[in-house]
Amino acid sequence: MILQVSELKGMILKIKKVRENAILPTRATGGSAGADLYACLEKSVTINPGELKLIPTGIAIALPDSSCAAFLYARSGLGVKHGICLSNGVGVIDSDYRGEICAGLCNVSNKPYTIEPGERIAQMVISPVIIPEFSEVSELDKTARGEGGFGSTGKK
């Protein structure tokens, strides 16, 4: 059974701790779109400028079916204040993945940053996914923009 978007609101997300010291995701406020994910570490990990580190969360999830996926996003505070971002931009957790969720973090600042055990390192958003059928065509519909690419609509 594929869930409808209206059914996703009451969805229960099954979460399994795959490490003993894992912390379950939490939403900081009632209006938070994302749930914070926590570093599941035995000891602190320093990310030097320009370095990438894979940080485990200690959890695995079971999404109900292919109608939704989990997306990992950077925490704005880590990114803006410390230059700690996700190395792949946005992490995609497919509905059939059952392994541990890890966050690939990179340091784009000029100072080392230390991730502490239990620190919030990323946020996870569960979203509906549209799975189209692919159809090759010889022509696409015309639009006013056409093939205008990067910067083609102007700066302002």
Side-chain angles (χ1 to χ4, degrees):
M1 173 182 121
I2 302 294
L3 294 176
Q4 299 300 311
V5 173
S6 61
E7 296 175 294
L8 293 176
K9 185 172 183 175
M11 180 181 88
I12 302 292
L13 182 64
K14 295 177 183 176
I15 302 172
K16 177 183 175 182
K17 287 185 176 183
V18 296
R19 296 175 190 250
E20 190 175 311
N21 58 335
I23 300 171
L24 294 180
T26 60
R27 292 172 63 226
T29 69
S32 296
D36 290 324
L37 297 179
Y38 297 84
C40 188
L41 301 168
E42 296 296 324
K43 60 181 182 175
S44 301
V45 171
T46 297
I47 308 173
N48 292 310
E51 196 172 37
L52 309 173
K53 293 279 175 128
L54 192 62
I55 307 296
T57 66
I59 64 164
I61 62 173
L63 292 160
D65 59 46
S66 62
S67 66
C68 59
F71 298 91
L72 303 187
Y73 297 98
R75 293 196 67 248
S76 57
L78 281 179
V80 172
K81 294 177 183 175
H82 305 288
I84 303 300
C85 308
L86 290 178
S87 58
N88 59 336
V90 174
V92 178
I93 310 299
D94 296 314
S95 63
D96 56 353
Y97 178 67
R98 295 297 185 267
E100 181 178 16
I101 295 174
C102 295
L105 299 182
C106 62
N107 184 344
V108 298
S109 78
N110 59 1
K111 297 177 185 168
Y113 183 81
T114 300
I115 303 289
E116 301 295 339
E119 182 175 347
R120 296 178 297 163
I121 56 166
Q123 54 186 320
M124 177 175 65
V125 175
I126 310 299
S127 294
V129 173
I130 297 171
I131 302 172
E133 289 187 32
F134 298 105
S135 174
E136 182 179 1
V137 297
S138 58
E139 294 290 327
L140 299 175
D141 299 340
K142 304 280 186 227
T143 66
R145 182 176 182 173
E147 295 181 17
F150 301 102
S152 67
T153 59
K155 188 172 182 175
K156 292 184 179 183

